[in-house]
Amino acid sequence: MLEIKDLKVIFEQNTVNEKIALDGLNLKLEDGDFLTVIGSNGSGKTTLLNAILGLVEKQAGTIILDDEDITKKPSHKIAKDVGVVFQNPLRGTAPNMSIEENLALSSAKGKFGVFSNGTSKKNKQKFREALSTLNLDLENRLETNVALLSGGQRQALTLLMATNEKPKLLLLDEHTAALDPKTAANILSLTDKIVKEKKITTIMITHNVKDAITYGNKLVLLNEGKIKLYFDKEEKEKLTVEKILSLYNYNLSDTQIFN
Amino acid sequence: MSVGLIFTCIQIGLCFGIMAMGIHISFRTLGVPDLTIDGSFTLGAATSAIFCLYNLPILGLILGMIFGALAGIVTGILHTKLKIQAVLAGILTMTGLYSINFWITKRRPSITLYQNKTIFSFLSNLKKVDFLGSNLKEALTLLILLIIAIIIIILLDRFFRTNIGLAIRATGDNEEMVNASSINTDSMKIIAFAMSNALVSLGGSLYVQLQSNYDNSYGNGMMVIGVAAIIIGEALFRKRKLAKAYIISVVGAIIYEFIFMLALLIDNVNPIDIKIITAIIIVLSVCLPMLYKKIKKGSKKDA
Ligand SMILES: Nc1ncnc2c1ncn2[C@@H]1O[C@H](COP(=O)(O)OP(=O)(O)O)[C@@H](O)[C@H]1O
Ligand SMILES: [Mg+2]
């Protein structure tokens, strides 16, 4: 369970460049919830994820994950429980290391057998099995350097690394935005499959309103660091792109949001 | 060039090669230039020399390595915890080591060890036994250094496949990703600096016992030599697997030493000019393979 209370993030506070990125945001997710997040550029979506991950300083508020207050926990410790995939496929993997070495690092997460061989026979078999679920034929390329993979393949690998050991929370920040439409659709359905199979509590940011409606069981619209619109499961099932757009225009009279 | 001189070049090249493998860890694996090197090479040399005076050469090597590791930890902490730039952190440690090295040698700038025990001195009876135009002592000295280098190559290759080794490599490759794997990248950097300087110190420790002599200027320019060794190696050989990167560094160091020796052999060369001659030769040895590749590509385009 994730509970965010009165979260405030202000960049460059007390300067002329002061920017309130999150303005007292509240959010509650039950176990297994799959929340999709939409909102215009600069509405604070990425900042929300960075705040959960401990990557930005918070001016106020608390973040509680499974009964633990993680508001002030160092980022590498939060990472033990929270998987993340960013938009840029280059961010999630080490390019000059092989697929199996990348997987070894992510699966060492938490239970770090310091001097044990990360790419032992036993681990290789485990990696092969996990990779075969991606249907990208990566299971036969364990020793290939990640730099040689396409953006889509890298993103699929990152997704696998983030979810292989079931995280308490999975964060996805426009993780298909840098891919071509066909690959993006594949990665998105792969994401949905993994999240459903493993019942992972997930927050997915997307700029695509249709995807936000199609996937997940809850939807929020962020604006100026606050949740402006919230749809629970039943409400979300009845939603259409047109409806969101009309509601949005009505509420905010800002028409250039979803272009 | 006589066989004796060739042996000498390889012996010194192996000492520098062990150092170069250490430099490889910071310079290539982490991707940060660590200027502690000049100081930690001398640190190993000074420690080794003092313990040879007491006829404890092996202890000298071991403590030399440990002190080197400590120097690396200091640089690592300055860099990661106190957020000092890597280059400056290294320079600070190196500067401090200048004094510390004098403390270790009890303020002596140089020490001769011809009368003392070194790890090679048990071979001295074999000086009279001819071997390929040199003597057996030199050949076996070379062999001992070669075995030490090979053991280090194997250990490094193994280490960088363990979970912690992978984490250190990934820290140099994509720090953010390592953090996202719930690993403290600061610790990984500190460990890498420690290992790097331990090997550099070991190189200095062995060099002193090879020369039966210590001088507080031994470390001067070692960073340059180590980086030159790595770059020469990489220019001449393609690196693929891990172990190969280390073998290449050692071979590069031996080649460097040959270049240096050849420069010395130039008729009427003034010692002052040797440095610039070696610098030019290193640049050439790095550029020539690159030029060669360009020319090959160019001729393909024309065809
Ligand atoms: N590191 C930062 N320093 C200063 N301002 C920032 C920083 N990160 C984000 N911002 C600002 O905070 C606001 C929210 O940004 P962000 O969360 O990235 O928006 P979104 O992901 O919804 O497009 C923007 O106005 C952005 O310019
Ligand atoms: Mg964003």
Side-chain angles (χ1 to χ4, degrees):
Chain A
M1 198 186 75
L2 175 75
E3 195 170 4
I4 297 174
K5 279 185 234 156
D6 291 323
L7 186 62
K8 210 165 205 166
V9 173
I10 306 169
F11 292 109
E12 308 189 45
Q13 198 172 14
N14 303 327
T15 71
V16 284
N17 295 322
E18 181 171 294
K19 172 77 206 174
I20 302 175
L22 292 179
D23 192 7
L25 184 136
N26 290 289
L27 179 68
K28 193 169 171 183
L29 293 183
E30 303 298 334
D31 285 341
D33 270 350
F34 184 169
L35 173 80
T36 53
V37 180
I38 51 175
S40 58
N41 278 332
S43 58
K45 305 183 297 294
T46 299
T47 306
L48 172 62
L49 299 199
N50 284 340
I52 298 172
L53 287 165
L55 297 174
V56 294
E57 204 185 314
K58 305 153 195 90
Q59 272 65 31
T62 50
I63 302 173
I64 292 161
L65 180 62
D66 283 5
D67 297 325
E68 187 197 0
D69 187 339
I70 60 165
T71 318
K72 295 208 164 70
K73 223 175 157 182
S75 63
H76 73 270
K77 288 194 176 144
I78 294 174
K80 191 175 156 190
D81 299 321
V82 182
V84 58
V85 185
F86 291 106
Q87 176 177 345
N88 182 351
L90 303 180
R91 266 179 91 171
T93 45
N96 296 308
M97 294 170 69
S98 63
I99 293 178
E100 57 177 5
E101 287 171 338
N102 272 276
L103 281 166
L105 269 173
S106 70
S107 63
K109 209 172 184 175
K111 45 179 174 36
F112 201 64
V114 178
F115 288 113
S116 56
N117 183 352
T119 53
S120 63
K121 272 223 174 77
K122 203 178 112 208
N123 284 356
K124 275 182 203 274
Q125 189 49 38
K126 226 174 65 191
F127 299 155
R128 234 176 253 124
E129 278 164 25
L131 285 166
S132 65
T133 63
L134 300 180
N135 290 323
L136 290 170
D137 202 32
L138 293 181
E139 60 273 22
N140 299 316
R141 301 173 65 188
L142 282 184
E143 287 171 23
T144 303
N145 267 8
V146 170
L148 299 174
L149 302 184
S150 69
Q153 288 170 326
R154 278 182 85 150
Q155 212 60 332
L157 180 62
T158 310
L159 189 62
L160 185 64
M161 287 164 60
T163 55
N164 210 14
E165 307 282 325
K166 185 187 167 186
K168 290 180 182 168
L169 180 66
L170 175 65
L171 305 177
L172 307 164
D173 189 357
E174 306 198 21
H175 70 305
T176 61
L179 308 174
D180 65 79
K182 194 164 160 264
T183 315
N186 286 339
I187 296 290
L188 210 53
S189 60
L190 180 69
T191 306
D192 196 46
K193 187 181 120 194
I194 293 174
V195 167
K196 277 185 180 147
E197 267 172 18
K198 298 200 167 188
K199 301 192 174 65
I200 304 171
T201 315
T202 302
I203 300 178
M204 179 171 89
I205 296 174
T206 174
H207 60 272
N208 186 322
V209 181
K210 193 163 158 283
D211 288 341
I213 293 174
T214 312
Y215 296 98
N217 66 342
K218 289 181 177 171
L219 188 154
V220 295
L221 186 146
L222 233 62
N223 188 266
E224 294 182 348
K226 279 189 185 131
I227 291 178
K228 262 273 138 48
L229 301 174
Y230 170 87
F231 303 94
D232 64 17
K233 197 163 185 301
E234 285 100 60
E235 294 166 331
K236 184 169 176 295
E237 272 162 9
K238 290 181 233 137
L239 267 179
T240 59
V241 175
E242 291 71 29
K243 183 142 179 245
I244 285 199
L245 290 182
S246 65
L247 268 173
Y248 194 73
N249 290 342
Y250 173 75
N251 278 353
L252 297 155
S253 66
D254 181 347
T255 46
Q256 32 176 322
I257 307 303
F258 294 110
N259 48 17
Chain B
M1 211 180 211
S2 70
V3 175
L5 199 54
I6 291 174
F7 279 178
T8 306
C9 278
I10 299 177
Q11 289 164 354
I12 296 175
L14 284 167
C15 291
F16 289 171
I18 289 165
M19 169 192 76
M21 287 192 276
I23 295 177
H24 192 280
I25 295 173
S26 54
F27 187 64
R28 279 285 183 253
T29 308
L30 271 194
V32 226
D34 171 19
L35 297 182
T36 318
I37 290 0
D38 287 15
S40 55
F41 188 88
T42 317
L43 175 66
T47 312
S48 176
I50 279 297
F51 280 90
C52 285
L53 280 183
Y54 296 108
N55 295 322
L56 295 166
I58 291 184
L59 190 62
L61 294 184
I62 294 169
L63 283 178
M65 269 185 97
I66 292 173
F67 287 177
L70 291 176
I73 289 172
V74 171
T75 303
I77 289 174
L78 290 177
H79 174 47
T80 58
K81 302 295 177 199
L82 303 185
K83 312 276 179 226
I84 298 173
Q85 280 179 13
V87 172
L88 184 57
I91 291 174
L92 288 171
T93 311
M94 179 192 72
T95 308
L97 282 174
Y98 183 82
S99 303
I100 292 173
N101 291 334
F102 271 105
W103 299 346
I104 291 174
T105 59
K106 299 182 185 143
R107 299 188 182 275
R108 279 171 283 193
S110 62
I111 299 170
T112 51
L113 300 167
Y114 296 107
Q115 311 296 329
N116 300 94
K117 207 168 137 189
T118 70
I119 59 163
F120 306 111
S121 52
F122 76 100
L123 296 169
S124 43
N125 296 334
L126 299 173
K127 233 178 189 157
K128 294 172 206 99
V129 186
D130 269 4
F131 184 82
L132 297 172
S134 175
N135 64 60
L136 202 52
K137 175 185 185 253
E138 297 305 322
L140 290 177
T141 299
L142 189 159
L143 187 67
I144 290 172
L145 287 168
L146 185 65
I147 290 169
I148 295 174
I150 290 172
I151 290 172
I152 292 170
I153 290 169
I154 292 171
L155 287 178
L156 285 176
D157 181 66
R158 278 281 155 84
F159 175 80
F160 280 109
R161 287 172 203 285
T162 62
N163 281 329
I164 191 166
L166 291 177
I168 292 173
R169 282 166 58 203
T171 300
D173 205 16
N174 183 351
E175 190 170 342
E176 185 181 8
M177 171 262 190
V178 180
N179 199 51
S181 300
S182 196
I183 297 162
N184 185 340
T185 51
D186 284 356
S187 312
M188 296 306 115
K189 286 183 196 169
I190 294 171
I191 294 170
F193 279 122
M195 286 179 63
S196 165
N197 283 287
L199 286 176
V200 171
S201 258
L202 178 65
S205 306
L206 288 166
Y207 185 72
V208 155
Q209 300 198 19
L210 177 69
Q211 304 286 10
S212 288
N213 193 36
Y214 164 80
D215 191 287
N216 75 327
S217 68
Y218 273 174
N220 296 0
M222 281 300 145
M223 175 75 188
V224 178
I225 293 179
V227 170
I230 292 168
I231 293 175
I232 292 172
E234 287 172 354
L236 299 180
F237 308 95
R238 284 186 52 198
K239 65 165 174 183
R240 283 186 211 93
K241 288 274 163 315
L242 260 181
K244 222 164 164 197
Y246 300 112
I247 297 171
I248 285 171
S249 303
V250 176
V251 174
I254 294 170
I255 293 173
Y256 169 88
E257 190 52 30
F258 272 103
I259 294 172
F260 181 76
M261 206 58 98
L262 286 171
L264 273 180
L265 290 176
I266 299 170
D267 272 343
N268 300 324
V269 68
N270 186 322
I272 294 170
D273 304 330
I274 286 172
K275 290 256 173 185
I276 194 163
I277 296 172
T278 46
I280 291 168
I281 299 175
I282 290 169
V283 171
L284 285 180
S285 64
V286 171
C287 291
L288 287 181
M290 237 156 57
L291 273 177
Y292 176 74
K293 267 181 220 154
K294 274 229 172 98
I295 292 166
K296 240 174 56 180
K297 249 193 198 163
S299 62
K300 253 188 209 157
K301 255 185 211 155
D302 294 342

